[in-house]
Each structure stands twice: as C-alpha cells, then as structure tokens.
Amino acid sequence: MHNTPLNQLLDRLIAVAEDLSMGRYGKYDDIFELTKSGQYPPLIARFAESFGMMAVKVEAREYRLEQIIEELRATELQLRTAREQLARENSSLKKNLRRSFPFSSILGTSPQIRELIGKAERIADSRLSVIITGETGTGKELFAKAIHFNSPRSAKPFVAVNCSAIPETIFESEMFGIEKGVATGVEARIGKIQQAQGGTLFLDEVGEMPLQLQAKLLRVLEERTLERVGSRTAIPVDLRIIAATNRDLTKEIAKGSFREDLYYRLNGVTLRIPPLRERKGDIDLIARQFLEKWGRSCGRPPMRIAKEALERLRGYTWPGNVRELDNEIERAVALAYGDTITMTDLSDPLQQQTTLPAAGGKSLLKDSEKQLIEQALKEAKGNKTQAAERLGMSREGLRKKLKRLGME
C-alpha cells in the first residue's frame, strides 16, 4: 500500500514541502513527470502540478529577495562610504572657511581698523548680538563672517539675508518658513532663521526690514522659538544675530520706522566700520591687494600702479568704499595695455574728481554716489539688474537708493 503511485506522489510532495520549510530548494521536475504518467485521478494530478508551480515560484521569489538584499547591502556600503567622504569634505570645508575668513583677511593698518578688528576678535567667542554699521561697500559682511568663523558656532551655518532685496510680500515666508498648502501649489519649506540653526543669521540692511516683521523677529529672539507661516507649532531656535546697516538706527527709531525694543535686543555691541575716505592710509595696501588678485585672475604678469594714478586713488571720495575700489582695480587691470595702471586706465569719476573738500563734503559725496550710479546705468544700457550687479547690490537695493537720491 505504501508503494502505490499515489503514496509515492504524496511522499514527494511532503519532501518538497519540508525542503521549502527548511529553506532548501531543488528540482521539482519529477513532480511534473509523475503527473504526466496519467495514473492519478485528475484532481490529484492538478493539485500536484499546482503545488509544483508554487514551489518554483517560492524559489524564484526567494532568489530575487536574496538579490535585493545583496543590492541593499551594496547600496548601504556605498552610502556609508559617501557619508564618511562627505563628513571628511565637510570638515575640510569648515577648516578652509576658517582659514578663508581670519581677522587677518580684513585689510587695513589704520588705527581705526586695527582697533575694530581687536574688538571683533574679543566678542567672537561670546553670545552677544552684534550691529555692524557703515556705508555701503565698507565690508560689513566680511566682518560678520570673520566673527562667525572664529567663534564656537563656526561649524554651523552662516546664513546671510539681504533685507533690502526681499519683497515685503514674501518677507515673512522667506524668514520664518511656510507650511504646505497655505496657498495653492505652495510646498513646505524652512525659512532663513531655521536654516541658521546653531549658527549665525546675518541680517544685512536690517533697517529695511518691514515693521511687522520686526515685531515677529523680536518675539523669536525673546522666546527662542518660531512658527512657520500657516502653522501653530513652536520650533526651538538657537542662533546668533549679526545685523548690519548703513542707516542711523536711532534716527529710524525717532521716525518710527524701526522698533526701539528690537534695536536694544540686537545691540549687544556695535562695530562702526569707517568709510574709505576716513582711512586714506589704507588705500595703497587695499589697492595693491586687489591688483594682485585681479592680475592673477586675468593671467597678467605682476603689475604696478603709476604714481599719478595712485595719488588719484588716494584723493578720491570713494562713495562705494572698498567695493568700489575693488571694481575700479578690476576694470583698470582689464583695460591696461602693459604692466602699469595709468591715469587713462581709471574710470571717469576718478579722472574728474580728486579730493573731498572739508566744506560741503556730504553734498559732494552724494554727488559722487549719483555719478557712480549714473555710470553703472550707462554701462548697463539702462538695465537696473545689471547696474546693481556692477555696484555690488541687489536690484531692490538700487531701486531704494535711486529713490533716496531723487533719481527716480
């Protein structure tokens, strides 16, 4: 009875089932050979063939799963290797950033600059908020970066926000972030404040920040939490604020355009960067540094500045300050025929103006600034975006300056 064909088939099916349960896979062709003999009832034969097909599919599925596991292991190894490489590169980048923004990179030997650098070095390790004041182009962001990258927060982000360049309609979402679905097609994103978590938030032209946003920023600084637009969830924040402005914020407070309580919250310490015309002794050093930079960038041999041209650089009012001097030297290097920058290589404002008289200085400075903007617009053929780039500012910043100078 035991050796009947039916029992042989059942024994084979039991053996296959045991193999499958133990994770052993083999050939199942003999099951199909047995059923082909026609010696089994149709229902039994059909059952045996279905069982055989199931075994084949289980084996194929297990084989594929093993392949997927191997692929996942290989991917995990690649990700781990990439993560380690990224960590090394990130560490190297942070070291390079610290080397790129040492306080020694701030050019100048004048007493005003040396005293300012010393003060910045002393506060770098503190938690104090900082207000950096100074005219456009004096290097406020350079000081801010030097403070950040020489502080305990140097391994965390330095996030710069130009308050004059962001339209008021999107300022809140840019600063605080926004939740998905607040408006049609809006995706969730984090704002500048949250991006600076653990690091430094640099608010350039903070005097341009809308009053409504000033109140919300004050709340963030006081409560150390923020809420994204469209959310009621408080998100903890830990950051240092460095604000910069070319305005007198005390006058803005008197006019009602800047909050006094925010001012005192930001004003842990103030650094005033003097304009270039107040430290003419630094012009030679800075000009030669820029000359070396742009000469190397353009593949030129070592260059020099003729005595007459250097005297003109010293005597100019520099309404655009260090940034304008940088642009001037870049332009002169591009135009110079030989290895010497001469008077003819200088721009029209420098050739037409040499000194800043004691009387009427502010008026003359304003005229120089107008002349500088007019020249940039002329070179950009009236394109304000390109003119703003030449002047080292945003299009919105240029628009506001044109309005302030009565040029619109």
Side-chain angles (χ1 to χ4, degrees):
M1 183 71 176
H2 180 72
N3 292 324
T4 64
L6 179 58
N7 284 344
Q8 290 175 3
L9 178 60
L10 291 175
D11 286 342
R12 183 68 187 112
L13 293 178
I14 291 169
V16 170
E18 289 175 347
D19 284 345
L20 289 176
S21 68
M22 299 297 292
R24 296 193 296 263
Y25 306 102
K27 295 181 179 180
Y28 313 114
D29 294 345
D30 57 341
I31 293 177
F32 301 104
E33 292 297 327
L34 288 172
T35 58
K36 284 180 183 178
S37 64
Q39 55 186 325
Y40 304 107
L43 187 61
I44 296 296
R46 183 180 172 189
F47 168 75
E49 289 174 353
S50 297
F51 188 89
M53 289 300 299
M54 179 195 70
V56 170
K57 289 181 179 180
V58 168
E59 180 179 8
R61 188 172 299 165
E62 288 296 319
Y63 176 73
R64 179 56 187 149
L65 285 174
E66 288 178 3
Q67 282 186 317
I68 291 173
I69 290 171
E70 287 301 315
E71 290 170 2
L72 288 173
R73 284 173 180 162
T75 302
E76 181 187 19
L77 178 60
Q78 291 174 354
L79 287 173
R80 186 164 57 246
T81 303
R83 187 163 52 246
E84 291 170 355
Q85 176 66 20
L86 184 62
R88 287 193 295 270
E89 291 176 357
N90 193 32
S91 175
S92 175
L93 176 61
K94 289 170 183 174
K95 290 177 182 177
N96 289 336
L97 284 170
R98 282 193 287 272
R99 285 196 292 266
S100 298
F101 297 102
F103 285 104
S104 58
S105 68
I106 300 172
L107 300 176
T109 57
S110 62
Q112 305 101 305
I113 288 296
R114 301 321 304 170
E115 181 181 350
L116 198 59
I117 291 173
K119 190 175 181 181
E121 287 176 328
R122 291 195 299 275
I123 65 171
D125 288 341
S126 73
R127 296 173 58 88
L128 286 171
S129 295
V130 183
I131 293 180
I132 304 176
T133 66
E135 296 176 3
T136 299
T138 49
K140 297 186 287 295
E141 185 167 350
L142 181 60
F143 266 90
K145 286 181 176 177
I147 292 171
H148 170 76
F149 288 109
N150 289 276
S151 78
R153 295 178 178 269
S154 61
K156 298 296 183 178
F158 176 90
V159 178
V161 180
N162 188 337
C163 297
S164 70
I166 305 175
E168 189 170 344
T169 52
I170 64 169
F171 206 113
E172 184 175 3
S173 61
E174 286 293 309
M175 289 292 293
F176 296 90
I178 191 168
E179 288 296 317
K180 182 177 181 179
V182 171
T184 304
V186 171
E187 295 294 327
R189 67 175 184 273
I190 65 173
K192 300 294 186 182
I193 294 174
Q194 199 174 351
Q195 289 174 28
Q197 181 76 318
T200 299
L201 180 67
F202 176 58
L203 298 174
D204 196 11
E205 303 302 344
V206 70
E208 305 280 357
M209 183 180 290
L211 270 172
Q212 181 184 0
L213 269 296
Q214 292 178 30
K216 294 189 175 183
L217 176 62
L218 177 63
R219 188 186 311 153
V220 169
L221 298 180
E222 290 179 340
E223 299 178 2
R224 293 291 169 179
T225 62
L226 68 82
E227 293 179 1
R228 295 180 187 171
V229 175
S231 172
R232 289 292 176 264
T233 303
I235 301 172
V237 292
D238 170 33
L239 48 76
R240 182 185 201 171
I241 299 283
I242 300 180
T245 181
N246 59 13
R247 296 189 182 190
D248 185 336
L249 291 182
T250 58
K251 291 182 179 178
E252 298 301 316
I253 291 170
K255 290 192 301 184
S257 60
F258 200 82
R259 293 181 64 101
E260 186 174 19
D261 46 7
L262 177 59
Y263 172 75
Y264 287 118
R265 176 66 66 175
L266 295 175
N267 193 25
V269 64
T270 298
L271 302 177
R272 177 190 175 271
I273 305 179
L276 198 53
R277 64 183 177 278
E278 290 183 11
R279 50 187 183 106
K280 290 185 177 294
D282 290 336
I283 290 176
D284 289 24
L285 170 65
I286 297 172
R288 289 192 173 101
Q289 287 285 341
F290 289 152
L291 183 65
E292 180 182 349
K293 177 182 75 171
W294 291 116
R296 186 170 58 250
S297 175
C298 294
R300 303 288 296 268
M303 301 183 70
R304 57 182 288 272
I305 304 174
K307 182 179 178 180
E308 184 183 15
L310 189 58
E311 288 176 353
R312 192 60 60 92
L313 293 178
R314 293 178 190 139
Y316 182 57
T317 57
W318 296 112
N321 291 291
V322 177
R323 184 184 292 137
E324 184 186 1
L325 177 56
D326 189 12
N327 293 340
E328 182 68 30
I329 298 300
E330 180 187 11
R331 178 183 182 279
V333 167
L335 291 175
Y337 286 109
D339 61 359
T340 302
I341 303 296
T342 65
M343 279 288 295
T344 58
D345 300 319
L346 301 181
S347 62
D348 291 344
L350 268 91
Q351 295 192 40
Q352 295 169 8
Q353 182 180 318
T354 57
T355 60
L356 178 63
K362 288 185 180 179
S363 176
L364 183 55
L365 182 61
K366 186 175 181 180
D367 290 342
S368 297
E369 195 168 14
K370 284 184 177 181
Q371 190 176 19
L372 183 67
I373 292 172
E374 287 170 351
Q375 181 182 351
L377 286 168
K378 181 180 178 182
E379 291 176 354
K381 297 180 180 178
N383 187 309
K384 290 183 180 178
T385 300
Q386 292 180 13
E389 290 176 357
R390 290 172 181 269
L391 294 166
M393 63 178 68
S394 67
R395 190 183 191 284
E396 183 70 9
L398 175 59
R399 186 190 68 76
K400 291 178 180 179
K401 188 172 285 292
L402 288 170
K403 187 175 179 180
R404 240 182 257 133
L405 295 171
M407 297 175 68
E408 269 196 346

